Structure formats: structure tokens, C-alpha cells
Amino acid sequence: NKKAFVELLFWKSPAAVCEMTKGYSSLQEGEGTTRSRVPPWTPQEEQELQELYWKYKEVEGGDIIAAILAHLPTPGRTRRQVVKQLVRM
């Protein structure tokens, strides 16, 4: 590829470098960036999140997201994931 030098001008992730060296679409399912995907929210988790939001949104002077994270029954969710899901809902 005569234009491959242009790709070197931009930052690459290890998965992108692997694709460049081994050929594009060489990554199999479950490799590279697909491993780091966030598990989707189940309807039950969304319902619990909504209930916790309505419970803690009226508390003044407190961090709503911190209170939700403390009482969220599913461990492993980050603050960013909770905020993003609340905005989406």
C-alpha cells in the first residue's frame, strides 16, 4: 500500500497496529477493542436505576450519582456508565 505512510501520522491503538501489520479485518471476534465493551443494561437494571434516581434526586447537598452507585445492586458499574445511562433514559 503506497499510502500506508499517511496512517503513521496518527496515534494508533495496539489493535489498529495489529490490523495494519496483519491485514485489515484480521481481528477475530473477542480480540482487540471488542473485549473492552461495556455490558448492556438489562431492563431490570434500568428499572432499579430509575427508582434510585427518583429516590435520591431530592436530596440536597449530596452527590446523586455517588448515592446511586452505593445502592446499585449490580457491582462493576462506573460513575460514567451510570451518568451516560441516566442521560440516555
Side-chain angles (χ1 to χ4, degrees):
N1 186 357
K2 294 180 181 180
K3 297 181 183 178
F5 68 91
V6 175
E7 290 192 27
L8 298 175
L9 299 175
F10 303 99
W11 287 100
K12 301 286 184 255
S13 67
V17 172
C18 181
E19 274 191 319
M20 286 173 57
T21 56
K22 294 183 179 179
Y24 290 101
S25 71
S26 64
L27 289 178
Q28 300 298 320
E29 186 66 31
E31 291 183 17
T33 57
T34 58
R35 253 188 306 158
S36 64
R37 285 205 175 136
V38 177
W41 288 79
T42 63
Q44 180 185 7
E45 288 177 326
E46 287 181 355
Q47 180 66 29
E48 292 168 355
L49 182 63
Q50 186 175 17
E51 289 172 5
L52 287 170
Y53 173 74
W54 287 109
K55 181 178 178 182
Y56 293 110
K57 83 171 203 156
E58 298 298 327
V59 177
E60 290 188 28
D63 186 10
I64 298 171
I65 305 301
I68 290 173
L69 281 172
H71 293 93
L72 201 62
T74 311
R77 295 286 184 188
T78 63
R79 181 179 182 88
R80 180 178 220 158
Q81 291 170 349
V82 170
V83 169
K84 190 173 183 179
Q85 184 65 20
L86 283 171
V87 170
R88 190 187 69 75
M89 291 171 49

